[in-house]
Amino acid sequence: MSLPFVVTSGEPAGIGPDLCLLMAREAQPHTLIAIASLELLKSRAELLGLDIQLLPVQPDAWPQTPAPAGSLYVWDTALKAPAEAGRLDPDNGPYVLETLTRAGQGCLNGTFAGMITAPVHKGVINEAGIPFSGHTEFLAELTHTEQVVMMLATHGLRVALVTTHLPLKDVASAITAERLERVTRILHADLVGKFGIARPRILVCGLNPHAGEGGHLGREEIEIIEPALARLRDEGIELIGPLPADTLFTPKNLEHCDAVLAMYHDQGLPVLKYKGFGAAVNVTLGLPIVRTSVDHGTALDLAGSGRIDTGSLQVALETAYQMSGA
């Protein structure tokens, strides 16, 4: 018997609940359980005009087979306050984190094969008085993982990040040889172990314009990045770079590339999202569990409208299945 997967419904005022319900219109190849408020899903289904049978499940009796089309297994998690589509409420910040905790701990203890996350709203969780910088960092802490790597992927392109949610003014000081080497080793190991690529070829962005222009536009490439990459190559990791980011993302360079390693969030992700927005997946590498996510935000203005695309969620599901070997 294969283990079930779980999907967290994300910010209750956003499109996460809608995604769960729309996904349930078709049968999944593996057992999938939504961790969400049953009350929220019922009200959102009514708002969307969806006839989805919600099937409550409990930890002592997980379902053995996938739910039929038109139905959804739900591990009921109580809201802290009534939820209205499109209207954020800090009182529900703890609810969002409870769904993530249930999913993450279930993956850790071997109950679930992997977790797929709908979007959360970082700002409203912080307004609730809970320090929160994102799924990636939260799951690293939950799983006691010292270093994780954020990677987004779409057809023909994977982009991993050396730094994630940092203000731009803090990025350069965060690019240390130690961090760069740890991130690269994790990226390489998971490309081999979870994606089945025998010898990954990784392109590495420089930090500065023109990769530092020989030191005239910054010395991080010369003093930090190039020596770190040389040490990693000595370990057998195939790395090309550091390359200027403005010309790295060209078809010729990407043709024989398995992943790009970008130095910061807005260096690599705008390119990936331009190429595959709505059909991309966010993957957390380095965790002892499988975690994937949609590539978009809560879309508060679309919650409850029925005018959303489930493409990214489907890619996130398929990627989780692949990574777990299901």
Side-chain angles (χ1 to χ4, degrees), residues 8-12 14-16 19 96 117-121 135 293-294 296-299:
T8 56
S9 56
E11 165 54 47
I15 62 171
L19 289 170
V96 173
T117 56
V120 299
H121 193 287
H135 278 115
S293 181
V294 295
H296 53 73
T298 53

Side-chain angles (χ1 to χ4, degrees), residues 4 11 32 40 54 69 89 118-119 136 145 194 219 238 276 287 289 311:
E11 165 54 47
L32 188 65
L40 170 64
L54 302 175
D89 187 339
T136 303
T145 304
K194 291 181 178 175
R219 295 193 58 82
E238 187 172 354
L287 292 173
I289 64 175

Side-chain angles (χ1 to χ4, degrees), residues 140-174:
E141 183 176 351
L142 181 70
T143 60
H144 306 290
T145 304
E146 182 179 351
Q147 180 75 56
V148 294
V149 175
M150 177 189 289
M151 183 177 80
L152 268 72
T154 189
H155 179 70
L157 181 61
R158 300 182 183 94
V159 176
L161 303 176
V162 178
T163 63
T164 53
H165 300 119
L166 286 180
L168 192 56
K169 65 181 179 62
D170 297 333
V171 168
S173 61

Side-chain angles (χ1 to χ4, degrees), residues 214-268:
H216 296 288
L217 293 177
R219 295 193 58 82
E220 286 84 358
E221 286 77 11
I222 293 172
E223 296 176 359
I224 299 170
I225 299 173
E226 291 175 0
L229 298 187
R231 288 189 291 272
L232 292 162
R233 290 188 188 102
D234 288 342
E235 298 175 12
I237 300 176
E238 187 172 354
L239 302 166
I240 297 89
L243 300 175
D246 65 339
T247 54
L248 181 152
F249 292 97
T250 55
K252 181 180 178 180
N253 283 333
L254 296 177
E255 185 178 1
H256 302 294
C257 158
D258 295 300
V260 172
L261 183 59
M263 292 293 137
Y264 56 95
H265 189 281
D266 281 13
Q267 182 182 59

Side-chain angles (χ1 to χ4, degrees), residues 9-23 25 36-54 72 74 79 81-89 92 95-96 118-119 297-308:
S9 56
E11 165 54 47
I15 62 171
D18 309 45
L19 289 170
C20 293
L21 292 163
L22 291 167
M23 169 193 70
R25 293 178 300 178
S37 161
L38 199 59
E39 172 191 353
L40 170 64
L41 292 178
K42 284 180 180 177
S43 64
R44 193 63 62 86
E46 291 176 4
L47 184 61
L48 293 169
L50 292 174
D51 183 17
I52 302 296
Q53 185 179 11
L54 302 175
L72 178 65
V74 182
L79 290 166
E84 180 180 341
R87 180 170 295 182
L88 294 170
D89 187 339
N92 276 321
Y95 158 82
V96 173
T298 53
L300 297 169
D301 57 324
L302 296 178
S305 71
R307 295 181 285 108
I308 62 172

Side-chain angles (χ1 to χ4, degrees), residues 188-203:
H188 178 266
D190 276 7
L191 288 173
V192 174
K194 291 181 178 175
F195 289 87
I197 302 169
R199 184 171 174 77
R201 188 172 189 265
I202 300 167
L203 303 188

